[in-house]
Amino acid sequence: MNISSLLDIDDVNSDSVHLDIWDHDDESSVLEAVSKLNEVRGVRGLGRFFKQVCQSARQSSQDDFLGCVTIPLQDIPSTGLEGWFKLEARSQRSSVQGRIRLKLWLSTRENRGASEEDNWTELTQHESLYATFVDYELKNWSRETWTWSGDLPGPALTILHQHAVQGDLTELQTALARFVAACRVYLKYPLDPRWMLQLLTDIESAWMNFTLTREEEMWLAEKFSAMQERWLQQLRHHRQLFPALHPPSLVRLEYVLRCLAYMSNMKAFWKCCPFNKEIRGEIVATLRKGTPEWFQSLKSSVMTSDEYDNCFVDFCSEVYVHLQHGLSHYHPLFEGTNGIPYFSVVFKQLDKLMSDEVISFLNQNEHPDAAYSRLIFSVYLEVKDLATFHQNLPSGGDHKLLLVRCHEWFEPSVSCWLIVCKAKALQRVRTSVELQKPCEGDKLVKHSSSAVDVVAMFCQLRDFWRLLQWPKAHSIPLLSQLLDCICSAALLYADITYQGLMETGYFDRMGPFKICDEMCIASNNLEYVYKFVSLLGLDPQLIYSLRRFNPSVAENYFDFVTLETIASEVQCATLTNQLDSTLSQFQVRIMDIIKRVGPQMQEALRKAMFHVAWSPDTLPTNQAVEPLLEYLHTHLHVLNLYLLPQNFQKVLYDVWEYTLAELNHQMDGGTSSEEMPPMFHERLHAALELMVDFFHCEGNALSIESLHSPTFCQIEQRLQYHRTDTETLVEIFYNQRLQEQLSTTNSPYGSLAVRAYFNHDSLCVEVLHARDIIPLDPNGFSDPFVIIELLPHRVFPHCNEQQTNVHKKTLHPIFDECFEFSVSLEQCRSPGAMIAFTVMDHDVLTANDFAGEAFLALGSIPGVADTTGVDNFHGLKPVELILMQQHQKNHPVLQILESRVADRLAAEFVRKQKQRFANK
């Protein structure tokens, strides 16, 4: 509860302020008091109940005394007194406790015959007095006036306080007078805006407790408007008044913005200035006025009429620096204090101003020389950097910027630069080759200076493109020119290098291999240049345009792309083809050079491999292969030192293939198995393993994947076959035919429908019908029958082959015959167990003709594939087998078996299979 009272004083020295505090009791009857007995709780409640009954029994109501306070007036200072005072008793019999909070102050007024509430004169006097003190402090301040905090000395504060007390000024009037005085001084001196913010806070704090007259409101409104105009004027020139790299100035700017933000939310401001515009909009308008003025001022200070062209780059750099300062320093202040997107406002204006300047600069010289072209490139780099600032604008808005399209202004110049670059690049390639020298060093591979020069030139072109940072959507035409420049120069270098090696007679050399420095230098030079060109496709800034079209999204492609995008994809494919073609030609040149190593080693490899194959069985294999490995080590070690790793890998793989070819030649040299030593193929197989270890070199040479080439796999398989007995080889052959059967989906030889199942230790095979049998008789038909055979013979030794009846003159015979073989379930489940169906054409006078064959794995038929029995045999679905013929006349199994002339089983099997060759 707040109670205010004004008391007159006769004698300050003897008078006191006395307050009695009473507890007021409401009147009530005894009956009403007694009726509340049921509400009593506890002993204390019972005491209060009896007290209330006694009070009600009295004839008149009487309040309770709570305490009193007596304060001598002479104890009240001029600044007033506020605090908690302890309540005192009037006599010793009274029991008093508690405190009361009081605020006391003294004031005096002269009787001028005017209203007691009229203190306008005292208010203006107080303002003038405060301004005098501030002006005096500033004149005697040894530093900049804006460093003064606004604190007045003690005597001045005492005088101001006494004047306010004597003039009976309210707290709001005092705050008003001090703010008006500070405004008057602020218009003459630059003051600390933190002080002004505190004065504004004082006015707003006292506004709710006091009111102003109309005259006082107009007085305050005038200063509000003046200060707003002053602060906006400072914001208009904030770059000059508050430098971004001067922290104290940034603090002043921050508090200027805080003053405007605080004033825009003050009740006093909107009460006194109801028709003023919204301050935030005024700040934005101020920035828009100040930016062009600052831009023209900067332009005048940086550029002169005589050195306009040369100073334009410096001017662009200055604008960039100021934009960076605005983004880093000014924008957070404006955004944080008033919610103003400072950078957006400023950048949009500078975007238009800089665009006009750049276009004017480019149009002033229609025929630029070399020096001017370099200047244009420097200007482009600066403008491109300026355009990157658009990334800091808020997303989602339609900003309609001009600098982001600056590449359109410079595209003709860049295209001209690339045309000049291509001519200079080709000339530099020729000069590099003419002046090339071998690069020497103990740890350097063989190469010359020309490759280093050419790659250095390509690096400069690549760096040039990276500096351009051309928009990806518009990069295809210029990128095409750049790639054409690089690819043309690279191909020219490849042709000159290849031609130079050809003139040395390297490609005409035959006979024993000899290290050729020219070969090593040429191949390394080409590989070095090739490596750089191939990396262009992986460059982060080129990969967008060089990517291949993704086939997975080719379907419905035209449903969601524009014609421009389609054109870009076509151009990208052209660029990729151009790069791939260049790389392909490099590889052809490099491989032409490297592939001469193998033929030159061929004769030596043949002699060494002959020694390995035909050494006596008493000589261990590792000793027999030692001359071969020693020869390879001697030459390959030197090549490893002289060649780049990529080239050495190519040479190593080529020599590996030649070595395998010589081993294959010794293995299938036309010698019959009777003339071969007993351990001939075992020795070759062991030698092959030693060769693999040598060329692998514990992972330091060729990888295992490279060593296991198709040639290696073929040789290893043939060596394994040579070491395998005839019966097993026959089984291998039939297993391969069964796998071929499973992968065959159609054939010109027709098909055969069969049904097979196993039941009660009996294998039942039903030959149902055939379709589209090939005609083998002159009448255009055949006389087909089917031979049924269980394979392999070692699993079914007692099961003879069976055959169907012969059907005359038909290509679609219906056999419908069932055959039974007495076999066990274990036999049918043996690995490789199958049924072979051979369709033959019956001839009376000559041998029967082969029409086709098919195979059925026993492990897949009912009764074998599962353990359940077959209830309804005729309900089983028939299996349609595609008829096949043997096309691989050089089948390795057949060749190996054919070489075993003394083996009757092998000879009979080969003879039988030769009769089944297609088109025999």
Side-chain angles (χ1 to χ4, degrees):
M1 179 175 63
N2 295 324
I3 299 176
S4 178
S5 177
L6 183 63
L7 304 175
D8 293 330
I9 299 173
D10 295 330
D11 187 355
V12 176
N13 295 323
S14 60
D15 290 349
S16 298
V17 177
H18 181 82
L19 289 90
D20 286 338
I21 298 93
W22 297 85
D23 176 29
H24 175 70
D25 293 324
D26 295 331
E27 295 183 1
S28 61
S29 65
V30 176
L31 181 61
E32 291 176 351
V34 173
S35 64
K36 296 181 180 180
L37 179 61
N38 59 341
E39 300 178 4
V40 174
R41 295 291 185 272
V43 178
R44 297 181 61 183
L46 186 60
R48 287 194 299 270
F49 169 75
F50 284 119
K51 177 183 176 182
Q52 187 173 2
V53 171
C54 293
Q55 289 178 348
S56 300
R58 296 173 187 171
Q59 294 181 355
S60 60
S61 176
Q62 183 176 356
D63 296 332
D64 291 332
F65 178 73
L66 298 179
C68 64
V69 175
T70 302
I71 304 172
L73 294 182
Q74 61 182 2
D75 293 342
I76 302 176
S78 61
T79 55
L81 180 66
E82 181 176 3
W84 289 95
F85 296 89
K86 185 177 180 180
L87 297 179
E88 299 176 353
R90 289 186 295 186
S91 64
Q92 295 181 354
R93 291 180 301 174
S94 302
S95 178
V96 175
Q97 62 181 11
R99 296 184 300 167
I100 185 171
R101 185 175 182 84
L102 300 174
K103 182 178 181 181
L104 308 171
W105 69 94
L106 302 174
S107 65
T108 59
R109 290 179 56 86
E110 296 181 12
N111 187 3
R112 302 186 182 93
S115 172
E116 294 184 356
E117 297 181 357
D118 185 8
N119 58 355
W120 171 253
T121 303
E122 287 79 1
L123 181 60
T124 56
Q125 288 177 354
H126 193 80
E127 181 268 332
S128 178
L129 183 62
Y130 189 81
T132 301
F133 288 148
V134 171
D135 189 66
Y136 176 81
E137 290 294 326
L138 292 176
K139 288 181 179 179
N140 292 277
W141 190 253
S142 59
R143 292 174 292 170
E144 292 86 350
T145 56
W146 57 266
T147 61
W148 183 61
S149 63
D151 295 333
L152 294 176
L157 293 176
T158 301
I159 296 173
L160 289 171
H161 171 71
Q162 292 296 334
H163 183 271
V165 170
Q166 294 175 11
D168 198 21
L169 298 179
T170 64
E171 183 181 350
L172 176 59
Q173 287 178 320
T174 303
L176 170 62
R178 297 189 180 192
F179 174 72
V180 171
C183 293
R184 185 148 55 91
V185 178
Y186 198 107
L187 298 177
K188 297 189 298 181
Y189 306 103
L191 298 181
D192 187 356
R194 285 177 291 189
W195 175 44
M196 300 300 298
L197 180 60
Q198 182 59 50
L199 296 176
L200 289 173
T201 304
D202 294 340
I203 293 176
E204 190 68 6
S205 299
W207 185 261
M208 298 302 296
N209 298 324
F210 303 96
T211 58
L212 296 178
T213 64
R214 181 57 184 164
E215 187 177 28
E216 292 169 344
E217 288 183 2
M218 295 177 62
W219 193 40
L220 180 58
E222 179 184 355
K223 295 307 177 184
F224 273 150
S225 300
M227 286 310 301
Q228 177 182 340
E229 183 64 27
R230 173 69 170 174
W231 284 327
L232 290 176
Q233 191 67 20
Q234 289 181 336
L235 295 184
R236 186 169 182 173
H237 304 285
H238 65 278
R239 299 176 183 85
Q240 297 88 344
L241 297 177
F242 310 107
L245 300 181
H246 188 237
S249 297
L250 289 181
V251 173
R252 291 174 56 207
L253 175 61
E254 178 185 358
Y255 277 92
V256 168
L257 292 168
R258 287 182 181 276
C259 288
L260 287 170
Y262 190 83
M263 190 166 66
S264 66
N265 295 316
M266 290 176 63
K267 298 181 179 63
F269 175 76
W270 290 110
K271 174 65 175 176
C272 300
C273 307
F275 302 107
N276 277 30
K277 296 181 180 179
E278 199 264 333
I279 291 182
R280 186 177 179 275
E282 289 291 309
I283 297 176
V284 172
T286 298
L287 291 176
R288 289 175 176 167
K289 292 178 182 178
T291 299
E293 296 173 357
W294 165 82
F295 183 83
Q296 295 299 330
S297 175
L298 178 66
K299 177 181 174 182
S300 302
S301 62
V302 175
M303 295 190 298
T304 61
S305 58
D306 297 335
E307 298 291 335
Y308 177 81
D309 292 346
N310 295 329
C311 295
F312 194 80
V313 176
D314 297 334
F315 173 65
C316 295
S317 299
E318 287 289 334
V319 175
Y320 179 89
V321 170
H322 283 280
L323 275 175
Q324 187 63 53
H325 289 169
L327 181 63
S328 303
H329 301 289
Y330 295 134
H331 179 78
L333 297 181
F334 281 83
E335 180 75 25
T337 57
N338 290 271
I340 294 174
Y342 172 88
F343 187 78
S344 298
V345 175
V346 172
F347 181 73
K348 289 179 181 179
Q349 284 191 291
L350 290 178
D351 175 79
K352 177 64 171 63
L353 295 170
M354 278 303 304
S355 299
D356 294 341
E357 289 294 331
V358 173
I359 294 174
S360 175
F361 171 79
L362 293 176
N363 292 336
Q364 70 178 353
N365 196 332
E366 298 180 356
H367 304 286
D369 54 11
Y372 191 75
S373 297
R374 289 192 294 271
L375 177 62
I376 290 179
F377 179 66
S378 299
V379 172
Y380 168 76
L381 294 181
E382 295 292 340
V383 175
K384 178 256 300 178
D385 290 341
L386 287 173
T388 59
F389 278 108
H390 82 279
Q391 301 171 1
N392 300 286
L393 297 178
S395 59
D398 185 12
H399 301 299
K400 298 181 180 180
L401 301 175
L402 300 175
L403 287 178
V404 295
R405 299 168 50 197
C406 64
H407 60 279
E408 298 176 1
W409 313 333
F410 292 89
E411 185 170 2
S413 299
V414 176
S415 180
C416 292
W417 297 337
L418 291 175
I419 293 174
V420 174
C421 282
K422 181 178 180 180
K424 291 188 176 182
L426 296 177
Q427 182 58 41
R428 183 168 174 178
V429 167
R430 298 186 183 94
T431 305
S432 298
V433 175
E434 292 174 0
L435 302 178
Q436 69 178 346
K437 294 181 181 180
C439 298
E440 299 178 355
D442 296 337
K443 297 183 180 180
L444 297 177
V445 298
K446 295 285 185 179
H447 68 287
S448 66
S449 60
S450 61
V452 179
D453 293 342
V454 170
V455 169
M457 176 186 65
F458 290 163
C459 287
Q460 293 171 354
L461 292 173
R462 179 199 60 192
D463 296 341
F464 164 75
W465 179 257
R466 289 178 177 176
L467 280 175
L468 286 179
Q469 293 182 345
W470 211 258
K472 295 176 181 178
H474 304 85
S475 63
I476 300 299
L478 295 181
L479 184 58
S480 177
Q481 284 188 267
L482 177 68
L483 280 182
D484 178 61
C485 174
I486 294 177
C487 292
S488 298
L491 289 177
L492 176 62
Y493 180 75
D495 291 340
I496 294 176
T497 302
Y498 188 84
Q499 185 66 31
L501 184 62
M502 185 180 295
E503 293 174 358
T504 63
Y506 168 76
F507 294 100
D508 300 329
R509 295 177 188 174
M510 300 298 294
F513 173 74
K514 182 181 179 181
I515 297 295
C516 177
D517 289 348
E518 292 82 0
M519 181 275 290
C520 295
I521 291 174
S523 60
N524 286 339
N525 285 346
L526 293 181
E527 179 65 29
Y528 187 55
V529 176
Y530 166 84
K531 186 65 175 178
F532 177 85
V533 177
S534 65
L535 291 176
L536 289 178
L538 302 177
D539 190 297
Q541 297 190 24
L542 299 177
I543 191 65
Y544 171 86
S545 299
L546 295 178
R547 71 186 189 281
R548 294 185 180 276
F549 183 72
N550 187 358
S552 64
V553 298
E555 189 175 359
N556 299 326
Y557 180 70
F558 292 95
D559 294 342
F560 60 91
V561 295
T562 62
L563 291 177
E564 180 181 359
T565 307
I566 296 174
S568 299
E569 292 293 350
V570 173
Q571 291 173 325
C572 287
T574 303
L575 295 178
T576 307
N577 293 337
Q578 182 182 13
L579 187 62
D580 290 345
S581 175
T582 301
L583 297 176
S584 176
Q585 293 184 56
F586 259 82
Q587 283 294 339
V588 170
R589 292 283 192 266
I590 295 173
M591 293 306 299
D592 281 350
I593 296 173
I594 286 177
K595 282 196 171 184
R596 297 301 303 167
V597 175
Q600 293 177 17
M601 290 186 175
Q602 187 172 14
E603 187 62 30
L605 293 175
R606 181 171 299 167
K607 292 179 180 180
M609 192 61 68
F610 181 84
H611 178 267
V612 172
W614 298 99
S615 295
D617 292 343
T618 56
L619 183 66
T621 304
N622 57 344
Q623 296 182 19
V625 81
E626 186 174 348
L628 171 65
L629 301 183
E630 183 65 27
Y631 172 80
L632 291 172
H633 178 268
T634 301
H635 295 89
L636 293 177
H637 175 70
V638 179
L639 286 173
N640 188 28
L641 295 176
Y642 287 179
L643 293 175
L644 286 168
Q646 298 87 343
N647 283 340
F648 179 70
Q649 289 281 325
K650 295 184 181 76
V651 170
L652 201 58
Y653 185 80
D654 194 52
V655 173
W656 167 246
E657 288 292 318
Y658 270 92
T659 307
L660 290 176
E662 293 305 321
L663 188 150
N664 187 61
H665 176 74
Q666 295 301 326
M667 178 178 61
D668 297 327
T671 305
S672 65
S673 59
E674 295 180 347
E675 301 176 2
M676 294 179 180
M679 300 298 293
F680 181 80
H681 292 103
E682 285 76 3
R683 178 189 296 276
L684 288 181
H685 191 271
L688 181 62
E689 292 180 348
L690 292 173
M691 289 163 50
V692 169
D693 292 339
F694 174 82
F695 279 89
H696 182 56
C697 191
E698 298 180 351
N700 296 317
L702 292 177
S703 64
I704 295 297
E705 291 77 10
S706 300
L707 291 170
H708 290 177
S709 63
T711 305
F712 169 84
C713 294
Q714 180 183 359
I715 292 175
E716 185 182 43
Q717 184 186 63
R718 293 174 71 89
L719 286 173
Q720 291 287 358
Y721 289 168
H722 276 295
R723 300 164 63 193
T724 305
D725 62 89
T726 300
E727 189 175 13
T728 304
L729 280 179
V730 172
E731 293 182 12
I732 291 174
F733 178 83
Y734 279 125
N735 281 326
Q736 292 178 356
R737 294 292 287 162
L738 178 60
Q739 295 302 318
E740 186 178 352
Q741 177 77 63
L742 296 175
S743 61
T744 301
T745 56
N746 56 70
S747 166
Y749 308 112
S751 62
L752 178 67
V754 301
R755 184 161 44 217
Y757 49 89
F758 182 83
N759 188 38
H760 301 301
D761 295 331
S762 178
L763 174 65
C764 297
V765 180
E766 296 181 14
V767 180
L768 303 178
H769 60 268
R771 293 187 302 175
D772 300 324
I773 300 290
I774 58 174
L776 294 174
D777 291 339
N779 57 10
F781 294 97
S782 291
D783 301 327
F785 67 97
V786 181
I787 300 173
I788 302 96
E789 184 179 10
L790 299 185
L791 299 174
H793 292 298
R794 64 175 179 80
V795 178
F796 306 99
H798 304 295
C799 296
N800 297 324
E801 64 182 31
Q802 303 184 49
Q803 67 181 42
T804 65
N805 295 322
V806 177
H807 291 252
K808 297 291 186 177
K809 295 183 181 180
T810 180
L811 300 180
H812 306 281
I814 300 176
F815 300 105
D816 202 15
E817 298 182 44
C818 182
F819 303 90
E820 187 173 346
F821 297 87
S822 180
V823 296
S824 66
L825 182 62
E826 289 72 17
Q827 287 177 299
C828 293
R829 290 181 174 175
S830 298
M834 68 184 77
I835 308 173
F837 301 92
T838 305
V839 180
M840 302 292 292
D841 172 45
H842 178 71
D843 289 330
V844 178
L845 300 179
T846 59
N848 296 330
D849 294 325
F850 174 73
E853 61 184 356
F855 301 89
L856 178 64
L858 287 177
S860 64
I861 67 174
V864 178
D866 49 44
T867 57
T868 59
V870 181
D871 297 330
N872 183 9
F873 302 127
H874 299 286
L876 296 176
K877 293 182 179 180
V879 178
E880 187 169 355
L881 302 174
I882 304 298
L883 294 176
M884 305 181 299
Q885 290 194 8
Q886 177 64 255
H887 293 272
Q888 193 175 356
K889 296 182 178 182
N890 296 324
H891 195 285
V893 172
L894 297 179
Q895 287 183 335
I896 292 170
L897 291 176
E898 188 175 11
S899 67
R900 300 177 180 180
V901 293
D903 190 333
R904 184 176 179 180
L905 177 61
E908 179 63 23
F909 180 78
V910 171
R911 181 192 63 78
K912 179 180 177 181
Q913 294 302 321
K914 283 186 175 181
Q915 293 176 354
R916 301 187 175 193
F917 283 146
N919 301 323
K920 64 178 187 293

